[in-house]
Amino acid sequence: MKSKDQLEVKINPDWCKGCGNCVSFCPTNVLALDHHGKSTMVNREGCILCGMCEKLCPDFAIWIGGKEDE
Amino acid sequence: MSKKNIKLMQGNEACVEAALMAGMKFFAGYPITPSTELAELSAEKLPRIGGKFIQMEDEIAGIAAAIGGSIAGLKSMTATSGPGFSLKQENIGYAAIAEIPLVIVNVMRGGPSTGLPTSPAQGDVMQAKWGTHGDHAIIALSPQSVMETFDITIKAFNLAEKYRTPVIVLTDEVVGHMREKIEIPEPGDIEIFDRKVPGPGEDYLPYRLEEGDIVPKMAPFGAGYRYHITGLFHDETGFPSNSTDNADIMLKRMISKIEDNREDIVMYDEFMMEDAEYAIISYGSTARTVRNAVKTLREQGMKVGLFRPITIWPSAEKEIKAVGRQVKKIIVAEMNMGQYVQEIERIVKSDAEVFHLGRANGEVLMPIEVVQKAKEVF
Amino acid sequence: MTSEIVQKYFRIENLPHIWCPGCSNGVVTRALTMAIDELGLDQDNVVVVSGIGCSSRAPGYLDFNTLHTTHGRGLAFATGIKLANPKLDVILIAGDGDVSAIGGNHLIHAARRNIDITTIVFNNNIYGMTGGQYSPTTPTAAKGTTAPHGNIDKPFDIAQLAAAAGATYSSRTTAYHVNQMVKYFKDAISNKGFSMVEVASICPTYYGRKNKSGSGVQMMQALKNDFIDKMAYEKLPEEKKEGKHLMGVFKNITLPEYTAEYQRVIDALQGGENNE
């Protein structure tokens, strides 16, 4: 298991269909849709790594992963 | 030398005996006369050998569960009649496109709809080939006796396994319920074919045809090859493909695996055909009537012979064509209003004149009717 | 590039999937892999079966033994597989139309037999694949392409239907309540018998557009707001019960399981023969 400081929200824009679930249900409002309509992190410091975005992403395009992971 | 195993048996009973000898381990079906003995005997015998029987909630579920049993690796059978055969059609197509071995016994009765329960008929001959939607090849075998029901049921399982395909045993109420003496062969004297499965750790693509094989190898679910089966057109990986090129390749392979192996699949019988100038083509129980009529006609000096297809689909095209070239006229005798006669006409073309003798009122054809028809047209 | 759980249990080469933006099918399918992972099931031993429809495409993305069958017949195929090899963990994924209209007969009979199959219904209240026709779970007065003037049918309650027919486990959750969904999936798979988890899902493309339900996000928000646990519902004042839908566990009992009972028949017969 990785400790919290080794983890971060990761996004695969190729799979993101821009539904907005991650943005709307993020409890700390750290995500937004960019001008292509894809999910993007706008406040990494504010992210509490709760995983809500990952659970509600229908496209497996956003998840909590290791900072060092590919 | 051991004593011969002679028994008095019904056609339906012989079918189950043969299925068990062929390795049937799974039966799923739904009650319908005149096929019920097949379910009843399977229910009685299968659990004794560790096999499984299940009576499903309807005909569609019967064939679906049987396909499931086959996917899990067991030789599977379902049985039905008339209306039930209609209900099973969609999943016959599924077994065809997904290439799942399966034996479907259809004890034909009078139709359409509820029709004439449970008088005999041979009205499902065309349905056996074209009942499910879309292009596909199918194997259908039709026995004329209890002994032959036994033999072709073994053959049906072998063909299903060998060609990864649904095989239809197209019997009828007469053969299904008739009791005759049969000789049950020793298990060692019967050739049994089991589907080819991939070897351990093999790089397995579920629908890849390998050099020297007739069909792709088939792994049972749960054996460590995690793969996908679908009724959509699919490529070698088993996953759906919308490619028209792929669809073409796949469909042609599915059809040619059967059409190109007619030599192995096609069975037929001839009676007094050597010097025949006229032929009567007939199959199933009706062929017994015709055989009797042929003897009578011969006694009266007419050079008539019987050609009896045992494999109905794919048809004995080469042999039927030869019959057409040999004789001047052909009568096709069958218990329907004119079905297999169309296939005979297609094959024979102008080589011989083709007539039809048949009815579908629930009565079997009598030898005298065949004799009269022969005298009328030959 | 995706999460470890998706890499482990999905056929990455087949992704991204065909489902519309905002469709909750991906959420539910991923939650199923979470449950399988937490239960530690052997991937080679899991069979996922489906019929026809949007949700029935899920097995094609999942790295198990997967079977995409004919419309409505998934449970009948699954019954054959489970009876033929009871060691397999058999899961059915179905839509509301697939499992409660064309496949309704198979649902009640699989439940009645209490055969050890877990059925997960992605209930989006509409036929999505064919373009938005009303289904047996479309609410009365809601619209579909075949109910342009409002649906006059009364909807099925699938979880209660399965429970009444004999399922030994039956529950309902929503595509929004992911933690609860994972727990229900685990409980359903662990139950030795027929299990039903109905997941209230969303179809923004057809149901949403026809019924002016707003965006996918707004429909997810509605799942969050409108569904309430059946225990909590009882405690609500009458005026607040309006418009609420129940979720929770409706049935969780133990009864003899079909394939185990069949094995008893085999054992009795084979034991009997040996004694002869």
Side-chain angles (χ1 to χ4, degrees):
Chain A
M1 280 293 281
K2 293 185 172 78
S3 65
K4 263 201 156 176
D5 58 1
Q6 293 172 292
L7 295 171
E8 64 177 5
V9 162
K10 297 174 105 61
I11 296 168
N12 177 353
D14 291 340
W15 286 7
C16 175
K17 293 177 185 166
C19 70
N21 279 354
C22 57
V23 176
S24 300
F25 294 102
C26 172
T28 53
N29 292 315
V30 300
L31 294 160
L33 294 185
D34 67 15
H35 63 283
H36 298 295
K38 307 277 188 181
S39 175
T40 186
M41 172 59 76
V42 291
N43 177 9
R44 201 166 282 286
E45 289 67 39
C47 173
I48 55 170
L49 299 169
C50 69
M52 196 65 175
C53 52
E54 180 175 355
K55 285 176 202 159
L56 292 180
C57 174
D59 301 307
F60 325 127
I62 185 165
W63 67 100
I64 312 290
K67 286 178 180 169
E68 307 304 316
D69 293 351
E70 280 298 307
Chain B
M1 210 181 133
S2 63
K3 208 168 145 234
K4 281 183 176 176
N5 188 2
I6 307 282
K7 287 205 164 130
L8 182 69
M9 228 180 237
Q10 255 190 349
N12 285 349
E13 217 178 332
C15 182
V16 175
E17 285 297 327
L20 292 167
M21 282 186 101
M24 172 177 73
K25 288 287 188 308
F26 194 92
F27 184 106
Y30 185 81
I32 187 165
T33 315
S35 79
T36 37
E37 294 85 5
L38 290 152
E40 290 167 354
L41 291 166
S42 297
E44 158 59 33
K45 289 172 186 277
L46 275 169
R48 294 182 185 277
I49 57 159
K52 310 286 172 67
F53 165 89
I54 187 168
Q55 182 171 309
M56 295 297 288
E57 53 273 16
D58 59 35
E59 293 280 1
I60 300 169
I63 185 170
I67 294 170
S70 186
I71 288 168
L74 304 185
K75 287 188 184 179
S76 300
M77 182 163 94
T78 188
T80 191
S81 184
F85 193 52
S86 293
L87 286 165
K88 290 190 191 308
Q89 292 302 329
E90 183 190 10
N91 283 327
I92 291 175
Y94 186 88
I97 196 171
E99 299 185 75
I100 311 297
L102 176 70
V103 174
I104 302 137
V105 184
N106 175 17
V107 187
M108 288 185 282
R109 69 184 225 189
S113 188
T114 316
L116 282 167
T118 51
S119 302
Q122 294 175 313
D124 308 348
V125 176
M126 283 298 170
Q127 187 187 20
K129 180 151 177 66
W130 296 121
T132 198
H133 58 282
D135 287 285
H136 65 288
I138 198 86
I139 298 174
L141 314 173
S142 190
Q144 67 159 1
S145 66
V146 176
M147 186 70 236
E148 200 167 85
T149 301
F150 186 95
D151 293 338
I152 74 159
T153 301
I154 303 254
K155 179 87 175 177
F157 272 92
N158 285 344
L159 293 173
E161 296 285 316
K162 192 171 182 181
Y163 295 101
R164 285 191 63 172
T165 183
V167 176
I168 297 161
V169 176
L170 207 52
T171 176
D172 60 60
E173 195 276 337
V174 174
V175 174
H177 281 165
M178 175 166 60
R179 284 181 197 278
E180 284 185 315
K181 189 178 82 172
I182 76 162
E183 184 188 335
I184 308 237
E186 288 296 312
D189 294 339
I190 297 173
E191 191 196 347
I192 302 294
F193 195 96
D194 296 326
R195 70 189 70 167
K196 285 191 175 180
V197 297
E202 200 171 296
D203 177 26
Y204 179 59
L205 280 180
Y207 290 92
R208 182 176 60 195
L209 183 63
E210 285 172 34
E211 191 81 24
D213 284 348
I214 304 167
V215 293
K217 293 183 175 68
M218 182 172 170
F221 271 15
Y225 307 91
R226 298 193 299 265
Y227 71 99
H228 189 61
I229 300 176
T230 178
L232 290 162
F233 273 81
H234 44 270
D235 59 23
E236 292 183 330
T237 65
F239 295 118
S241 165
N242 280 330
S243 149
T244 51
D245 287 345
N246 176 72
D248 204 45
I249 292 166
M250 181 189 158
L251 193 56
K252 282 177 178 159
R253 180 177 69 68
M254 273 171 44
I255 292 172
S256 67
K257 73 179 177 184
I258 290 170
E259 297 292 336
D260 293 354
N261 288 291
R262 281 172 187 258
E263 296 293 317
D264 184 40
I265 298 167
V266 166
M267 297 176 288
Y268 61 94
D269 187 25
E270 289 177 321
F271 177 64
M272 296 193 160
M273 276 302 294
E274 297 83 14
D275 62 343
E277 290 169 12
Y278 304 98
I280 305 176
I281 298 181
S282 191
Y283 52 90
S285 61
T286 309
R288 296 167 72 122
T289 298
V290 172
R291 190 183 167 97
N292 187 300
V294 165
K295 280 192 213 162
T296 306
L297 290 163
R298 282 276 175 175
E299 281 163 13
Q300 295 176 12
M302 286 181 80
K303 289 193 168 178
V304 182
L306 163 67
F307 182 88
R308 182 170 70 90
I310 300 170
T311 304
I312 303 296
W313 305 112
S315 57
E317 200 156 340
K318 198 176 75 188
E319 294 78 10
I320 292 166
K321 196 155 190 62
V323 169
R325 286 184 177 148
Q326 179 187 329
V327 303
K328 297 173 203 148
K329 292 176 179 179
I330 294 170
I331 294 172
V332 180
E334 49 185 346
M335 273 188 281
N336 58 51
M337 299 303 281
Q339 295 196 14
Y340 207 55
V341 65
Q342 294 178 31
E343 176 71 357
I344 304 301
E345 283 169 344
R346 182 188 72 78
I347 296 167
V348 167
K349 296 195 173 65
S350 58
D351 290 343
E353 207 175 341
V354 178
F355 300 88
H356 184 251
L357 173 66
R359 61 159 173 250
N361 66 347
E363 278 183 310
V364 297
L365 286 175
M366 305 304 278
I368 185 67
E369 295 174 84
V370 181
V371 169
Q372 279 167 357
K373 181 79 177 180
K375 285 183 173 172
E376 181 193 319
V377 301
F378 286 165
Chain C
M1 190 170 73
T2 186
S3 65
E4 281 175 26
I5 191 102
V6 172
Q7 284 183 44
K8 183 167 180 194
Y9 294 105
F10 282 76
R11 290 162 171 152
I12 300 296
E13 67 275 18
N14 294 352
L15 293 172
H17 53 60
I18 60 164
W19 295 317
C20 301
C23 167
S24 57
N25 285 354
V27 176
V28 184
T29 307
R30 181 188 161 283
L32 172 62
T33 65
M34 291 291 293
I36 288 169
D37 191 64
E38 288 178 25
L39 288 171
L41 301 185
D42 177 356
Q43 223 162 326
D44 286 338
N45 205 53
V46 174
V47 176
V48 185
V49 182
S50 69
I52 296 293
C54 293
S55 59
S56 287
R57 288 303 187 94
Y61 302 118
L62 289 168
D63 190 8
F64 304 106
N65 305 281
T66 55
L67 183 67
H68 179 222
T69 71
T70 47
H71 196 21
R73 316 304 169 196
L75 271 174
F77 282 81
T79 296
I81 291 171
K82 182 68 184 180
L83 180 59
N85 184 358
K87 292 193 198 89
L88 297 171
D89 300 305
V90 181
I91 297 164
L92 181 92
I93 288 177
D96 40 301
D98 192 60
V99 85
S100 74
I102 190 166
N105 200 28
H106 311 308
L107 171 64
I108 59 175
H109 288 276
R112 174 180 62 82
R113 287 184 197 105
N114 195 34
I115 188 164
D116 187 13
I117 295 169
T118 295
T119 293
I120 295 169
V121 180
F122 294 42
N123 180 4
N124 61 5
N125 312 106
I126 202 95
Y127 285 90
M129 190 67 96
T130 46
Q133 299 77 21
Y134 70 95
S135 86
T137 65
T138 302
T140 306
K143 287 186 176 174
T145 54
T146 47
H149 314 297
N151 182 24
I152 59 169
D153 281 13
K154 288 177 283 297
F156 263 145
D157 179 328
I158 291 178
Q160 298 279 27
L161 176 67
T168 44
Y169 177 91
S170 186
S171 64
R172 175 162 52 234
T173 180
T174 88
Y176 173 80
H177 298 87
V178 175
N179 292 347
Q180 187 187 56
M181 182 165 38
V182 173
K183 180 181 186 312
Y184 284 2
F185 288 167
K186 283 162 66 179
D187 292 347
I189 294 166
S190 303
N191 174 46
K192 292 283 167 236
F194 187 83
S195 304
M196 160 65 67
V197 184
E198 179 191 345
V199 183
S201 305
I202 60 163
C203 172
T205 301
Y206 290 109
Y207 189 89
R209 216 149 45 182
K210 276 276 156 198
N211 290 285
K212 299 186 168 55
S213 313
S215 66
V217 166
Q218 285 168 306
M219 291 178 80
M220 287 294 269
Q221 193 74 48
L223 293 177
K224 180 183 175 188
N225 297 340
D226 297 347
F227 279 79
I228 179 167
D229 189 87
K230 63 188 179 71
M231 310 295 245
Y233 179 82
E234 297 304 325
K235 293 174 192 145
L236 280 185
E238 283 307 313
E239 68 273 16
K240 291 201 170 171
K241 287 184 176 175
E242 177 75 24
K244 294 289 183 199
H245 303 291
L246 301 188
M247 56 183 190
V249 180
F250 297 101
K251 200 166 173 194
N252 193 4
I253 61 171
T254 303
L255 283 175
E257 190 273 329
Y258 187 86
T259 62
E261 290 301 295
Y262 199 93
Q263 190 57 47
R264 276 159 49 101
V265 173
I266 292 174
D267 292 345
L269 287 169
Q270 294 190 332
E273 268 185 1
N274 292 341
N275 294 337
E276 275 169 15

